[in-house]
Amino acid sequence: MAETKQKKTKDEVLAELNAAFKQRLELGHKLLANIKGHRAEIEGKLASIGTWEPDIVYRFYHHSFKVFDGKRIVESSVKFFEELSPNGAALNSWYKTITDEALSKEFDWDKTNPIWLEETRPILEAIWHSRYFLEQMLVAADTLETAPEILPYGWAAVLYLYDLR
């Protein structure tokens, strides 16, 4: 005999939505506190990307295997973002797909050069996504006192990094 699923009342649905909103907002407060507490590290990581990026992009156009050095930036960014995570919130699946693809690339003399764009563009893309999130974290650290309910786009993007939006 099949169980009949009880339909929730409007008040029950609204209460669940409100509870979920409050939980995400609380995680947003924790994330912002983590970001503010690690502001100097965020700034340092962003500066490091700024130092390496011109070389990595040059290596891309120069067809140099050294573009694969960019994987260290990606790996470091992912690890850092995971450390900032409030209550172990997982990183956004799209960001993870982008970074996982970059980290899966290995230079192979026979394979890489004939499909250079396919093999190297994911590394650049992952670096640029990581840089973007670091930049938005600094903006949030400098402009927000608490996690707002009405979201500026940069903070909304950082929340998406942790699937809190």
Side-chain angles (χ1 to χ4, degrees), residues 4 12 23 30 42 46 48 51 57 61 67 76 89 92-93 95 99 107 122 136 142 154 161:
T4 53
E12 289 171 331
Q23 181 182 21
K30 288 179 182 179
I42 294 167
L46 187 57
S48 178
T51 299
V57 173
Y61 284 100
V67 73
S76 173
N92 180 277
S93 64
Y95 176 76
T99 56
F107 182 77
Q136 296 311 310
D142 293 344
L161 177 61

Side-chain angles (χ1 to χ4, degrees), residues 60-133:
F60 169 80
Y61 284 100
H62 186 61
H63 247 167
S64 168
F65 68 91
K66 291 183 180 179
V67 73
F68 288 85
D69 290 346
K71 288 173 48 176
R72 289 190 306 230
I73 295 168
V74 175
E75 190 171 43
S76 173
S77 297
V78 170
K79 183 178 179 202
F80 182 66
F81 291 150
E82 288 172 343
E83 290 169 2
L84 289 178
S85 176
N87 295 5
L91 295 177
N92 180 277
S93 64
W94 289 354
Y95 176 76
K96 286 295 290 168
T97 296
I98 291 165
T99 56
D100 287 349
E101 182 179 1
L103 295 174
S104 74
K105 301 299 182 182
E106 296 291 335
F107 182 77
D108 178 320
W109 286 101
D110 297 322
K111 176 185 166 208
T112 303
N113 285 331
I115 54 171
W116 185 255
L117 291 178
E118 184 181 323
E119 290 293 301
T120 58
R121 278 178 34 195
I123 297 168
L124 295 175
E125 182 181 5
I127 289 170
W128 291 328
H129 280 262
S130 297
R131 183 186 69 197
Y132 171 79
F133 284 117

